[in-house]
């Protein structure tokens, strides 16, 4: 077991010893580098500002280590050819490539174990930005900018010849609008899109407000503190966005029965406040109410951002908010709100016991749902009216002229209309029982 551990450690040490990197001389600016990915098979990728007159060195594990250098291109490491002997020098544990080539792969084999590098000559790919201008043709939801300059892809090759791209990390900054759900409004927000490379046109999600675009880059110039910026003329947005909400007002009275619904609504009448917000380009906007989910039968149109509507007719209503820019080329609509009004119901109790047990059956009230018109009159046995109310949520507390009414039989007369236009003409007895007052 001890011998096995020793062998494993020796192998790990050997592997680690060839996990080398290059150091450069003759360069005026620092060399940018990153580890190669598993896809590339490269140990390291380097970007040199200009390879003319630049050499690269690697430190070998020991002065007696063997080392060879081979170069390759887009055909991959399998087609590597030995480097010119005159281009290689060695001093003890240091191996130097005296004249490096840009956009070239290098295989350095150390003690029979290869390490792979790719070197980019940035001077052959220099980022240049002359102008960015909003394109003459725009699409709803997309913004197009015409780009003049050079931001072409920087390609390199994996050891298996696969073509890969080294991102320039170009940054396009601009202002747009973001929806703030808590504040229920759109707020100005700075946004940045990043691009690996750019051709003649930049295509992004359209900002929701007028803005200037600033293109900066690239990552290599940024690394060398030589980043450049180009700003566009003012972009005028045509894209539209909207958000909406619906809030049902009030609380359900205790004597109002439940109505099954999977959305807004229930027992009529009730009020719902519909509110919407829009982005800058939304010139036309309206709330639409329809009897069908497809909005083929729109019954009400209202241009206000906020409206309150009373619902009192049985059935289902669909509501949405729509917005569009000045010429109607861009539009947006909210979610659809479904409002249901149930059928009516009305039932009257025939007894109650005010004062007997506080909070329990001490008020005479009807049970109802979707009653939109209501009149109730209560009389004593001599025909004297002792109570009157016009809201089914209200009731009679058993008092007359501010004093407890005597126990006995009273009479109610009710006229009501339901959401389904059902007419109620009800009358009957009310018994005050177990009364403990005067």
């Amino acid at each position: 077991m001890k011998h096995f551990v020793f062998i494993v450690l020796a192998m790990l040490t050997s592997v680690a010893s060839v996990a080398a990197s290059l150091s450069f001389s003759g360069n005026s600016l620092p060399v940018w580098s990153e580890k190669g990915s598993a896809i590339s098979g490269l140990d390291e990728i380097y970007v040199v500002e200009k390879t003319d007159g630049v050499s690269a060195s690697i430190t070998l594990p020991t002065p007696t280590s063997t080392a060879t250098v081979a170069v390759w291109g887009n055909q991959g490491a399998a087609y590597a050819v030995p480097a010119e002997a005159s281009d290689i020098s060695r001093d003890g544990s240091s191996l130097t490539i005296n004249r490096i080539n840009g956009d070239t792969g290098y295989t350095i084999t150390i003690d029979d174990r290869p390490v792979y590098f790719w070197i980019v000559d940035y001077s052959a790919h220099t980022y240049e930005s002359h102008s960015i201008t909003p394109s003459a043709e725009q699409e709803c939801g997309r913004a197009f900018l015409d780009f003049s300059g050079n931001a072409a892809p920087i390609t390199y090759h994996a050891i298996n010849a696969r073509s890969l791209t080294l991102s320039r990390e170009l940054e396009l900054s601009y202002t747009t609008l973001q929806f703030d759900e808590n504040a229920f409004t759109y707020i100005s927000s700075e946004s940045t899109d990043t691009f690996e490379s750019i051709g003649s046109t930049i295509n992004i999600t359209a900002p929701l407000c007028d803005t200037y675009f600033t293109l900066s880059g690239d990552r290599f110039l940024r690394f060398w503190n030589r980043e450049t910026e180009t700003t566009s003329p003012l972009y005028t947005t045509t894209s539209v966005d909207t958000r909406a909400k619906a809030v049902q007002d009030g609380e359900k009275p205790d004597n109002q029965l439940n109505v099954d619904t999977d959305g807004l609504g229930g027992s009529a009448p009730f009020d719902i406040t519909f509110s919407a917000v829009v982005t800058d380009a939304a010139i036309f906007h309206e709330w639409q109410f329809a009897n069908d989910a497809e909005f083929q039968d729109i019954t009400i149109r209202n241009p206000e951002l906020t409206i309150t509507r009373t619902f009192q007719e049985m059935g289902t209503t669909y509501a949405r908010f729509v917005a569009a820019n000045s010429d109607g080329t861009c539009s947006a609509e909210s979610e659809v709100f479904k409002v249901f009004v149930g059928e009516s119901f009305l039932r009257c109790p025939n007894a109650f016991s005010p004062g007997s047990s506080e909070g329990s059956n001490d008020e005479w009230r009807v049970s109802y749902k979707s009653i939109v018109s209501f009149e109730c009159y209560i009389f004593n046995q001599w025909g004297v009216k002792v109570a009157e109310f016009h809201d089914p949520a209200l009731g009679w507390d058993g008092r007359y002229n501010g004093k407890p009414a005597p126990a006995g039989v009273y009479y109610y007369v009710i006229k009501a209309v339901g959401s389904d236009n059902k007419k109620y003409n009800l009358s009957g007895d009310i018994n005050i029982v177990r009364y403990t007052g005067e």
Side-chain angles (χ1 to χ4, degrees):
M1 179 62 72
K2 291 182 179 180
H3 293 294
F4 174 75
V5 173
F6 175 78
I7 292 171
V8 171
L9 289 174
M11 290 175 63
L12 291 172
T13 302
S14 175
V15 171
S17 67
V18 296
S21 59
L22 298 176
S23 58
F24 295 83
S25 60
N27 47 299
S28 58
L29 294 174
V31 175
W32 181 94
S33 67
E34 75 174 14
K35 295 293 182 183
S37 65
I39 294 175
S40 72
L42 297 167
D43 291 270
E44 201 92 23
I45 303 167
Y46 298 98
V47 177
V48 182
E49 188 266 337
K50 191 174 183 180
T51 57
D52 289 350
V54 176
S55 62
S57 300
I58 190 169
T59 301
L60 307 177
T62 68
T64 59
S65 296
T66 61
T68 59
V69 179
V71 296
W72 46 278
N74 58 12
Q75 292 183 311
Y79 290 87
V81 297
E84 295 289 337
S86 59
D87 288 342
I88 308 300
S89 62
R90 180 167 177 174
D91 182 10
S93 298
S94 179
L95 176 72
T96 300
I97 306 170
N98 298 308
R99 200 168 52 238
I100 62 171
N101 298 317
D103 300 332
T104 299
Y106 285 86
T107 303
I108 302 178
T109 304
I110 303 170
D111 294 331
D112 297 325
R113 302 187 68 85
V115 287
Y116 302 97
F117 306 104
W118 187 273
I119 298 177
V120 174
D121 183 349
Y122 183 78
S123 66
H125 309 276
T126 302
Y127 167 68
E128 296 178 359
S129 177
H130 305 308
S131 66
I132 51 171
T133 307
S135 303
E137 298 294 329
Q138 300 287 337
E139 292 181 6
C140 186
R142 304 299 300 176
F144 298 93
L145 303 171
D146 296 329
F147 172 72
S148 174
N150 175 53
I154 299 176
T155 58
Y156 65 100
H157 295 277
I159 62 174
N160 65 358
R162 180 177 180 178
S163 180
L164 301 171
T165 301
L166 194 60
S167 176
R168 288 184 180 271
E169 293 187 4
L170 298 160
E171 295 182 347
L172 183 71
S173 301
Y174 54 94
T175 303
T176 187
L177 299 178
Q178 296 285 344
F179 179 68
D180 185 326
E181 186 171 358
N182 292 329
F184 194 69
T185 188
Y186 287 93
I187 59 174
S188 179
S189 173
E190 298 304 313
S191 184
T192 300
D193 292 351
T194 303
F195 302 88
E196 286 191 355
S197 60
I198 294 174
S200 60
T201 303
I202 303 173
N203 178 356
I204 64 167
T205 300
L208 294 172
C209 61
D210 296 350
T211 186
Y212 296 94
F213 294 96
T214 297
L215 182 64
S216 60
D218 55 13
R219 73 192 296 190
F220 309 109
L221 293 179
R222 196 174 296 127
F223 175 72
W224 294 319
N225 293 320
R226 294 185 175 183
E227 180 178 20
T228 63
E229 291 187 349
T230 307
T231 300
S232 73
L234 182 66
Y235 165 85
T236 302
T237 186
T238 59
S239 290
V240 171
D241 193 31
T242 184
R243 302 295 175 91
K245 64 180 180 179
V247 179
Q248 187 163 339
D249 300 334
E251 297 182 359
K252 185 177 78 69
D254 294 341
N255 60 326
Q256 184 184 82
L257 303 178
N258 291 328
V259 174
D260 291 336
T261 176
D262 57 358
L264 296 164
S267 175
F270 53 83
D271 291 342
I272 295 180
T273 299
F274 298 89
S275 303
V277 290
V278 295
T279 54
D280 295 356
I283 303 302
F284 165 82
H285 50 74
E286 68 178 16
W287 278 102
Q288 297 177 349
F289 297 87
N291 294 322
D292 61 301
E294 291 72 33
F295 288 84
Q296 297 298 312
D297 180 22
I298 297 176
T299 58
I300 295 176
R301 298 176 185 268
N302 191 309
E304 300 297 325
L305 290 175
T306 300
I307 62 172
T308 298
R309 182 179 172 187
T310 300
F311 291 83
Q312 56 184 17
E313 293 184 5
M314 187 181 73
T316 301
T317 301
Y318 299 88
R320 70 180 180 185
F321 188 80
V322 298
N325 63 355
S326 58
D327 60 6
T329 55
C330 289
S331 62
E333 62 183 52
S334 73
E335 64 178 295
V336 175
F337 301 97
K338 179 181 177 181
V339 182
F340 175 73
V341 176
E343 64 182 355
S344 67
F345 174 84
L346 182 60
R347 183 176 63 191
C348 304
N350 61 9
F352 73 120
S353 54
S356 296
S357 178
E358 184 176 354
S360 176
N361 198 32
D362 54 4
E363 186 176 20
W364 184 88
R365 292 195 297 174
V366 301
S367 297
Y368 75 98
K369 57 183 177 181
S370 291
I371 298 299
V372 299
S373 175
F374 183 83
E375 297 178 23
C376 179
Y377 305 93
I378 299 175
F379 304 89
N380 63 18
Q381 58 183 327
W382 295 284
V384 177
K385 184 174 69 175
V386 297
E388 173 186 346
F389 48 96
H390 298 267
D391 184 345
L394 301 178
W396 182 39
D397 61 1
R399 302 177 76 85
Y400 174 56
N401 288 333
K403 296 181 179 180
V409 179
Y410 295 79
Y411 306 93
Y412 67 83
V413 175
I414 292 177
K415 293 184 179 181
V417 180
S419 61
D420 46 8
N421 207 33
K422 182 177 179 179
K423 305 296 191 299
Y424 293 87
N425 291 289
L426 306 178
S427 61
D429 299 343
I430 304 175
N431 293 278
I432 295 180
V433 296
R434 297 191 298 276
Y435 185 69
T436 60
E438 296 179 359

